Each structure stands twice: as structure tokens, then as C-alpha cells.
Amino acid sequence: MGQVRGDFDVFALLLAVDEQRTARDASWAQLTREIAWMSQATIARMREGGTARCHHVLPLIQWVGRTPESFTVGAEDFEGELLPDPGAGRWRWYWNIPELAAALDSQRMERELTWPQVAAEIGSGPNEIKQLQRTRYGTTISFAMRAARWLERPAASFMWEHDGRGLPWSGRRV
């Protein structure tokens, strides 16, 4: 996929999912039922485009039992943390986008950098950072992972468990 340290390889994730799905003798329909919220169409779009929004990959990462970082360029340089298993029928981890944006801004100010300098160091365009500051839903998984890596924090440190009510970040923090 990408050549920037921290880029997320959606194809590697889908390969790992397919290997586990085959080993468990499960169909794609059974997989999506087990995950309980992702459709086969979403997985097909990920496969076709090689990209995904940050929230869409989380159930698949957890299902294969690996860290988000294990699917990134330069994974050997940053171990990451596993997302805790919330138990049967209770999956819904989300990226806490407001916290990620705030951490980027704090680090930017601490290092006395401009937003274009931050974007260049992360390996993104300034539009991705502007979008992150405006959205409360999510960004691409590659940008989120590169940002977490730039902050020297595991992706799991930006996760919240959604309790099914209100905004995702109103849930329990990992």
C-alpha cells in the first residue's frame, strides 16, 4: 500500500481476516454476523479501494486478535497494544477523534510547529489535518495510524468503547 511509516495496509488486514475466516470455516456472512455491525458491502469497498475509515477496521483487527500497528508500514518499530475484548455481542470500539485532534494540537504547540509542518512530518496533506479538526466521526485509518505514531502513542490509547448511547466518546475509555 503506502510508503509512509505508519500507513495502514488494508489488504494485509483483509488477508489476515480471510485466513482466519477460512481456518474457522466461516463464510463472510457468518463473519459479519459475528462482528454484529459491519456489512459485506463495507468489506467489499475496503477490498476494492484499499482504504477504509478508521472505525471500519477496528472490528476486523479485534477479530483476528492483532494490534492495529501490526498492519502498518514499519510495524516492527512500534509494537502497539491489543484492544481489550469487551465480550460477546458487545463490540464497538471507536477512535476518539476529538482526543486525537487535541493531542496533535498539543504536540504541535509544544514543538512550536505550524500545521503544514505537522502534516509534512506525519506524511499527509494539510487537508487531512483540517478535516480531523472539523469531524467528530472519523478519518482514514492510514491518517489516524500515522498521527498516533507521530504522537508516539499506541492506537489503542485513542479508543473508546461505545455503549450504544450517545456519541462514541461518551463510552468507557480503554
Side-chain angles (χ1 to χ4, degrees), residues 58-59 61-63 65-69 80-88 90-94 154-162 172-174:
L58 296 179
I61 292 169
Q62 190 167 23
W63 194 75
R66 289 177 50 184
T67 67
E69 287 80 5
E81 295 175 6
L82 288 172
L83 295 173
D85 184 357
R90 289 210 48 222
W91 190 90
R92 261 324 256 234
W93 293 113
Y94 275 93
S157 73
F158 291 104
M159 301 296 153
W160 287 70
E161 181 186 357
H162 190 308
R172 181 177 63 83
R173 188 166 190 280
V174 172

Side-chain angles (χ1 to χ4, degrees), residues 105-125:
D105 191 35
S106 176
Q107 182 73 288
R108 177 191 65 83
M109 288 188 299
E110 185 177 312
R111 293 180 52 196
E112 298 179 356
L113 298 173
T114 65
W115 281 117
Q117 289 171 319
V118 171
E121 286 191 14
I122 290 174
S124 70

